[in-house]
């Protein structure tokens, strides 16, 4: 059930930041359920969208560009943010703070967070309550960092099927004790270093034969298959792990970003 809908609007130049209900946002929504925002254009605001203390919102197909922050979800639960375009926002494309059960999918985030005074990322999680969110099938290019996770307690989040490329700094940035998150079936291309702040509690593959991620710097070969990669014949997975950071590995790195389209020979069990 949709409580209300904001659709086909162009909202610009909102910068008033004082007072309890003045967030400087093109769209500001507080304490609601089932809000629906679709096909809006939000430019040159402090926040393109500011959604707080709300649940079951759906934010689709919006053009969110040239704001200070593209989108802020603060204390939001069980919401969906999909098929949006976030470009050239000074800080993040989207910030999810203390959000749980949020599905962030099929968005495009380019050239966000590259302002020297406030470097940030395409998709950022902060606040220790940011748990059990699904971030999948997003395209991130040219952001300061691809993904940022910036608070202790950020855990249980799954990043899968995303494409991250040409970051100014790193593909994945974890700070302040964020740990216990899972990354698989993503494609990480050239640009900057690999990761920072990764710990042993973070996971970078989904086991065999599902596999891990594609890393453009992986130099391994694919001559073998099987959970131990010790049976002759290729399977689209590298024979040796990819070192993500320190002792943390992607144990089943994909040889190419489409390696997930593999099939199994049911006679030989080979992939």
């Amino acid at each position: 059930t949709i409580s209300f809908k904001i659709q086909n609007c162009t909202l610009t130049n909102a910068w008033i930041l004082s007072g309890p209900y003045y967030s400087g946002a093109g769209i500001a929504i507080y304490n609601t359920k089932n809000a629906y925002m679709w096909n809006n254009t939000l430019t040159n605001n402090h926040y393109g969208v500011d959604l707080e203390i709300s649940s079951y919102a759906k934010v689709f197909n919006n053009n969110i560009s040239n704001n200070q922050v593209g989108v802020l979800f603060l204390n939001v639960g069980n919401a969906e943010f999909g098929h949006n375009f976030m470009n050239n926002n000074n800080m993040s494309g989207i910030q999810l703070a203390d959000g749980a059960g949020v599905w962030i999918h099929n968005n495009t985030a380019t050239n966000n967070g590259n302002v020297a005074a406030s470097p940030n990322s395409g998709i950022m999680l902060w606040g220790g309550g940011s748990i059990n969110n699904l971030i999948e099938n997003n395209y991130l290019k040219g952001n300061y960092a691809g993904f940022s996770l910036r608070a202790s307690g950020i855990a249980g989040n799954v990043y899968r099927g995303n494409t991250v490329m040409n970051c100014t700094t790193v593909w994945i940035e974890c700070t302040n004790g964020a740990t216990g998150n899972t990354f698989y079936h993503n494609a990480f291309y050239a640009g900057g270093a690999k990761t920072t702040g990764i710990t042993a509690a973070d996971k970078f593959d989904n086991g065999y034969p599902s596999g891990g991620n594609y890393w453009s710097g992986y130099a391994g070969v694919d001559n073998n298959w099987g959970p131990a990669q010790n049976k002759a014949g290729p399977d689209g997975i590298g024979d040796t792990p990819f070192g993500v950071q320190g002792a943390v590995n992607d144990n089943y790195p994909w040889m190419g970003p489409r390696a997930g389209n593999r099939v199994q020979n049911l006679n030989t069990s080979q992939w």
Side-chain angles (χ1 to χ4, degrees):
T1 301
I2 297 173
S3 295
F4 63 89
K5 182 187 297 186
I6 301 173
Q7 183 174 341
N8 299 328
C9 299
T10 297
L11 302 154
T12 65
N13 299 316
W15 283 90
I16 299 173
L17 299 176
S18 62
Y21 301 109
Y22 298 96
S23 71
I27 297 175
I29 298 175
Y30 300 86
N31 196 25
T32 68
K33 288 185 177 180
N34 302 309
Y36 184 80
M37 288 160 272
W38 182 74
N39 203 37
N40 300 289
T41 298
L42 303 121
T43 61
N44 198 36
N45 306 288
H46 188 83
Y47 298 105
V49 174
D50 180 8
L51 177 68
E52 302 187 22
I53 319 173
S54 298
S55 58
Y56 301 101
K58 293 184 181 293
V59 182
F60 283 100
N61 202 43
N62 300 283
N63 188 334
I64 305 165
S65 302
N66 298 301
N67 303 283
Q68 186 71 5
V69 177
V71 177
L72 173 64
F73 276 19
L74 176 61
N75 291 314
V76 171
N78 300 303
E80 186 173 352
F81 183 80
H83 299 276
N84 299 285
F85 297 87
M86 302 168 288
N87 306 299
N88 298 311
N89 297 289
N90 288 342
M91 295 176 68
S92 296
I94 178 171
Q95 295 184 5
L96 175 62
D98 292 311
V102 177
W103 184 21
I104 300 174
H105 66 94
N106 296 100
N107 301 288
T108 297
T110 60
N111 301 316
N112 299 288
N114 284 309
V115 175
S118 54
N120 218 295
S121 58
I123 298 176
M124 173 185 175
L125 272 59
W126 58 276
S130 292
I131 58 173
N132 302 327
N133 301 290
L134 176 59
I135 298 96
E136 66 175 342
N137 299 330
N138 300 286
Y139 176 79
L140 285 69
K141 181 180 180 181
N143 303 288
Y144 183 79
F147 301 120
S148 292
L149 299 83
R150 291 189 172 182
S152 176
I154 294 177
N157 301 288
V158 175
Y159 295 75
R160 68 185 184 195
N162 303 287
T163 298
V164 183
M165 62 192 309
N166 300 119
C167 299
T168 304
T169 55
V170 295
W171 295 321
I172 304 168
E173 171 200 51
C174 297
T175 61
N176 302 317
T179 188
N181 300 284
T182 301
F183 305 80
Y184 65 91
H185 295 180
N186 304 290
F188 297 101
Y189 291 91
K194 294 182 293 189
T195 61
T196 183
I198 299 301
T199 75
D202 297 310
K203 185 178 179 182
F204 283 86
D205 63 72
N206 195 37
Y208 189 87
S210 179
N213 304 277
Y214 170 71
W215 308 88
S216 63
Y218 179 64
V221 298
D222 178 23
N223 295 322
N224 299 303
W225 69 279
Q229 293 292 293
N230 59 355
K231 299 180 181 181
D235 59 357
I237 289 175
D239 295 342
T240 53
F242 175 80
V244 177
Q245 185 178 334
V248 178
N249 293 324
D250 179 342
N251 295 303
Y252 299 108
W254 282 0
M255 296 302 295
R258 298 183 181 274
N261 299 324
R262 296 173 295 120
V263 295
Q264 186 180 29
N265 185 322
L266 297 180
N267 293 318
T268 65
S269 296
Q270 181 176 339
W271 290 83

